[in-house]
Amino acid sequence: QVQLQESGPGLVKPSETLSLTCTVSGDSISSYYWTWIRQPPGKGLEWIGYVYYSGSTNYNASLKSRVTISVDTSKNQFSLKLSSVTPADTAVYYCAREVGGAFDMWGQGTMVTVSS
Amino acid sequence: DIQMTQSPSSVSASVGDRVTITCRASQDINIWLAWYQQKPGKAPKLLIYAASSLQSGVPSRFSGSGSGTDFTLTISSLQPEDFATYYCQQANSFPRITFGGGTKVEIK
């Protein structure tokens, strides 16, 4: 049974870099597209970007200048870095697996607050 | 980017009711549409993919239809556990994926 688990700091200061890791268990990360999605409090879902096990990436155009997603196949993990954060980046951050255009497995989500 | 518009934004219904949610794409997305259910404090759960394919383990009272720009999610007989927020998501412009704004199904 595939499980995804996000980890990382729950509080980040403005202008700093948000860093999260998603650990995949029950399946090899060496297939599928692995994705980050976020949801500000009380709002809808926003796709951030994906990484393929080969390392190829693609990002939401609105975040592209600040986002880096990477993969570590040896640890079965992939990571998100979002630089120069502001309070508008406060959200629940989810990692998910993409299959055929849909996200069939999700982590439980981790709340990240941007505040001094 | 392709814009996804859901309607209504909220609906009040009773157990046993038939509920229909609509999602409209700003351009043709063929059948590249998925539906999710999200309960408070939980991650979204995939219900339907490729517009009308039921995800494994999802009750058959959920169904999806449509192609092109207009899509619907139908719950044939609303159950207590179905009160939640529902989102559509397009993947025609993969990897530029976008979600609808959500429809909250509330108890009448």
Side-chain angles (χ1 to χ4, degrees), chain A residues 1-82:
Chain A
Q1 175 182 348
V2 179
Q3 291 188 317
L4 289 76
Q5 178 68 58
E6 305 90 349
S7 59
L11 180 64
V12 181
K13 290 182 168 55
S15 80
E16 295 189 345
T17 296
L18 177 160
S19 296
L20 296 173
T21 295
C22 182
T23 299
V24 179
S25 59
D27 191 13
S28 171
I29 204 168
S30 296
S31 56
Y32 306 111
Y33 290 90
W34 302 94
T35 301
W36 288 98
I37 293 163
R38 70 180 182 178
Q39 185 172 37
K43 296 188 178 181
L45 300 161
E46 180 181 34
W47 175 78
I48 298 171
Y50 79 72
V51 63
Y52 194 50
Y53 76 94
S54 63
S56 66
T57 57
N58 208 295
Y59 305 131
N60 187 321
S62 67
L63 300 169
K64 188 174 183 177
S65 64
R66 299 193 291 130
V67 172
T68 302
I69 299 177
S70 58
V71 63
D72 186 336
T73 55
S74 67
K75 294 181 179 179
N76 234 37
Q77 294 177 334
F78 63 105
S79 299
L80 168 70
K81 291 187 184 300
L82 181 65

Side-chain angles (χ1 to χ4, degrees), chain B residues 11-14 17-21 73-78 103 105:
Chain B
V11 57
S12 295
S14 301
D17 284 353
R18 181 182 182 90
V19 173
T20 298
I21 299 168
L73 172 70
T74 299
I75 310 172
S76 60
S77 178
L78 197 65
T103 296
V105 177

Side-chain angles (χ1 to χ4, degrees), chain A residues 13-16 66 82-90 113-115:
Chain A
K13 290 182 168 55
S15 80
E16 295 189 345
R66 299 193 291 130
L82 181 65
S83 64
S84 304
V85 296
T86 71
D89 295 310
T90 294
T113 301
V114 178
S115 175

